[in-house]
Amino acid sequence: MTDTDATLVVDGGELSTLLSTLERIRRTFAWKCGGLDADGLRATIAASTMTLGGLLKHLAYVEAAWFAVKLRGEPIGPPWDTAEPGSEWSTAAGDSPAELYALWDAAVVRSRAMVAAALAEGDAGQPGSFTWPDGRTPNLRRIIADTIEEYARHTGHADLLREAVDGLVGEDAPA
């Protein structure tokens, strides 16, 4: 899985802080999901049907939805363009670990390119390419913050799932 050598910015400006935080949470999420076989990616705990494989596939979808569609106004792309809404959670069990890791990696690479393209055109205040039903249009800053929030919530789920699979615990991926 993709792992950048991103150093957490602790004294930078707004945009560098947001982007380094996003990279840190992506790296932590990748570590929590990394190196598992199909059984590990399909494991559940308690009454939940959530799996690490489902989380990988869901966050690949989130990357495409927020950065391609909502930021850049581009098509969501495969496999989402033909998928039923929300199906990533249930279909992940039929995907191999290699497919799931590749899907998430490609989504992150695409999102980074989308953000770079947007920043070549403007700053973090530039509007996205969609409007919520209440008439507001989020800017790049809000899109990055919402993506961080989505990763943070699901990395918490991944913490619990991964500990149940093989006992892996910790806050940050090893350097």
Side-chain angles (χ1 to χ4, degrees), residues 4-10 16-17 19-21 23-24 27:
T4 63
D5 187 25
T7 301
L8 184 65
V9 173
V10 295
S16 63
T17 299
L19 291 173
S20 78
T21 300
E23 289 302 329
R24 177 185 180 202
R27 192 172 66 247

Side-chain angles (χ1 to χ4, degrees), residues 65-109:
W66 276 105
F67 292 112
V69 177
K70 294 177 181 178
L71 175 63
R72 302 297 290 168
E74 295 188 9
I76 197 162
W80 317 117
D81 51 357
T82 60
E84 292 292 322
S87 64
E88 67 271 18
W89 295 104
S90 59
T91 60
D95 298 331
S96 71
E99 290 169 322
L100 291 168
Y101 293 137
L103 180 67
W104 183 79
D105 281 342
V108 170
V109 167

Side-chain angles (χ1 to χ4, degrees), residues 29 32-33 36-44 49-60 80 87-97 99-101 103-104 158 161 165:
F29 177 76
K32 292 294 179 171
C33 295
L36 293 173
D37 62 12
D39 288 339
L41 290 174
R42 291 183 191 128
T44 60
T49 60
M50 188 177 292
T51 66
L52 289 168
L55 285 168
L56 279 164
K57 200 164 186 178
H58 173 68
L59 285 170
W80 317 117
S87 64
E88 67 271 18
W89 295 104
S90 59
T91 60
D95 298 331
S96 71
E99 290 169 322
L100 291 168
Y101 293 137
L103 180 67
W104 183 79
L161 288 162
V165 168

